[in-house]
Amino acid sequence: MRIDDDRADERTDPVGPAGSVPPGRRGRLAPTSKDVARVAGVSQSTVSYVMSGKRPISEKTRRSVLEAIDQLTYEPNAGARALAGHRTNVVGLVVPFHNPEAASGLMAFAEEIAVIARGRDYDVLMLTAAEGPAGLVRVQRRAMCDAAIVMEITTDDPRAAIARELEMPVIFIGVPDDRDGLHCIDFDFETAGRLLVDELADAGCPEIAVLGWSEERVGLGINYVPRFRESARARAAERGVPLRWISAPHTRTGVEGYLDAALGPDGGPHPGLLTVHSPHDVGAALQQRALVPGRDLDVVSLCTDVEAQAQPVPPTAVSTQPRDVSRLAMAWMFDLLAGDVPAELRLVEARLTRRGSVRPSGS
């Protein structure tokens, strides 16, 4: 595979009698394995062995060769790539940690992926920098892993185009708008939005106030935010219930601001509250206001079962099921390594678990 089409002519530039480059063409020859060997301080055959895996190479030497490949942006030809197709028994997990909030929410996925990989005698290489397509290219060029699972998918994800071209299997946990030819798996955020709105509408809430993702999170373009938000808004419109979407940082101060905006002055009927992250701060803030979910107002949440059960009044919730998503992604990845599997979208079913945070209808 050729990543950079602008370099197509560079590989065939003629060389003069003494190895010179014709005038006007100097410096445009593509790097070769001989260049890699020179920079790494090894023989050309050693470079070949690192690429093919046909002979054991010390980790120090292998690292030197890979660093030289990266430095020179060397791209082996198709034959060399075929030799490099040996298994590394490593799966790459591309999971950019944009901020602490995002990192904490992603760890359940990463932990489950690591456990499953270990059970199949695989290791996990985590790539946490926001490198975009370059990160995927680097992983394949260095033959660092057999397959990659990519997270934090944006609606217009620049990694989608390169994922279609890579020779190693790539699975997206998330759904970009243009998903043709991609293997995508995710939780069904659309159905989750409808289930949570229905629960509050069925309880007779006069309004729904959503504690949405922070503006910073929204600004990243993560795909599930508009999927959930638009589904919830459409369902509220169908049910004839006004819905307010309030974006706030997921901090105690942010939650207090959300409740101030949602509840308003005392005395009026409270709206139903819908939160899209761990309900811990909301539960604590409501306690300070002497408000008890299921008695004084109705609260539902998009959160994991573990997060819900940790609250004084566990909320009725739809779990995002990060471990189920990870298990299915890994099973699919191993199927892809065993042979061709059609590209498609697979969604993990959304299910509502009723607890004690919503009052019976008419109470």
Side-chain angles (χ1 to χ4, degrees):
M1 179 191 65
R2 188 167 61 232
I3 302 301
D4 185 355
D5 292 337
D6 292 339
R7 295 170 57 189
D9 293 335
E10 296 174 22
R11 292 174 173 78
T12 56
D13 279 353
V15 179
S20 61
V21 182
R25 305 295 296 275
R26 283 186 173 83
R28 296 194 58 208
L29 283 176
T32 66
S33 61
K34 184 180 294 186
D35 298 319
V36 173
R38 175 179 52 76
V39 172
V42 299
S43 67
Q44 196 170 357
S45 60
T46 297
V47 173
S48 175
Y49 294 144
V50 169
M51 296 299 300
S52 68
K54 287 193 170 184
R55 289 192 184 180
I57 300 293
S58 73
E59 183 58 29
K60 180 179 179 181
T61 299
R62 182 175 180 275
R63 191 180 304 114
S64 296
V65 171
L66 293 177
E67 287 174 355
I69 288 172
D70 196 43
Q71 176 186 334
L72 295 169
T73 64
Y74 168 65
E75 297 177 27
N77 60 32
R81 284 197 303 271
L83 290 174
H86 68 288
R87 291 290 173 86
T88 63
N89 276 42
V90 174
V91 56
L93 178 57
V94 184
V95 52
F97 284 175
H98 298 290
N99 53 48
E101 172 193 328
S104 62
L106 294 168
M107 288 316 296
F109 291 94
E111 180 182 282
E112 191 67 23
I113 287 170
V115 168
I116 294 169
R118 190 64 269 153
R120 297 288 294 266
D121 198 28
Y122 263 70
D123 290 315
V124 175
L125 172 66
M126 290 185 68
L127 297 104
T128 60
E131 298 180 90
L136 285 174
V137 173
R138 178 168 60 88
V139 165
Q140 175 165 290
R141 188 174 68 233
R142 289 187 173 188
M144 298 165 74
C145 53
D146 299 333
I149 292 179
V150 183
M151 299 187 64
E152 291 289 81
I153 306 302
T154 60
T155 300
D156 184 19
D157 202 300
R159 296 169 296 184
I162 196 65
R164 295 184 183 96
E165 299 180 10
L166 294 179
E167 295 168 0
M168 68 177 179
V170 177
I171 292 179
F172 276 23
I173 296 183
V175 188
D177 274 352
D178 181 10
R179 60 180 179 82
D180 288 346
L182 298 176
H183 297 80
C184 299
I185 187 167
D186 204 3
F187 172 71
D188 189 350
F189 284 93
E190 292 87 348
T191 298
R194 292 190 288 269
L195 289 172
L196 292 169
V197 166
D198 280 343
E199 190 70 5
L200 294 176
D202 289 345
C205 295
E207 183 186 19
I208 296 173
V210 182
L211 171 54
W213 290 273
S214 66
E215 291 292 349
E216 179 185 3
R217 189 78 177 147
V218 172
L220 293 172
I222 302 301
N223 74 104
Y224 57 73
V225 173
R227 289 165 53 203
F228 180 89
R229 182 178 57 207
E230 299 313 314
S231 176
R233 283 175 170 165
R235 189 59 143 206
E238 289 175 11
R239 297 297 302 267
V241 181
L243 183 146
R244 278 190 291 160
W245 189 277
I246 303 170
S247 291
H250 293 178
T251 62
R252 186 60 181 271
T253 301
V255 167
E256 291 288 357
Y258 156 73
L259 290 178
D260 287 341
L263 300 178
D266 293 336
H270 293 308
L273 304 184
L274 191 165
T275 72
V276 298
H277 65 108
S278 171
H280 172 73
D281 288 333
V282 173
L286 288 173
Q287 276 190 327
Q288 286 205 339
R289 296 168 187 241
L291 294 173
V292 178
R295 186 194 73 185
D296 305 309
L297 77 173
D298 306 300
V299 179
V300 298
S301 185
L302 179 71
C303 67
T304 66
D305 291 332
V306 171
E307 290 169 332
Q309 294 289 2
Q311 306 314 307
V313 179
T316 290
V318 173
S319 171
T320 50
Q321 304 179 63
R323 296 186 184 279
D324 286 348
V325 172
S326 295
R327 279 193 288 270
L328 290 171
M330 289 295 283
W332 199 5
M333 185 201 75
F334 286 117
D335 287 344
L336 285 169
L337 287 172
D340 288 337
V341 179
E344 61 179 339
L345 169 62
R346 299 180 180 182
L347 292 176
V348 174
E349 180 185 5
R351 296 187 298 271
L352 182 86
T353 300
R354 290 189 173 90
R355 299 185 177 94
S357 65
V358 177
R359 295 168 292 183
S361 178
S363 63

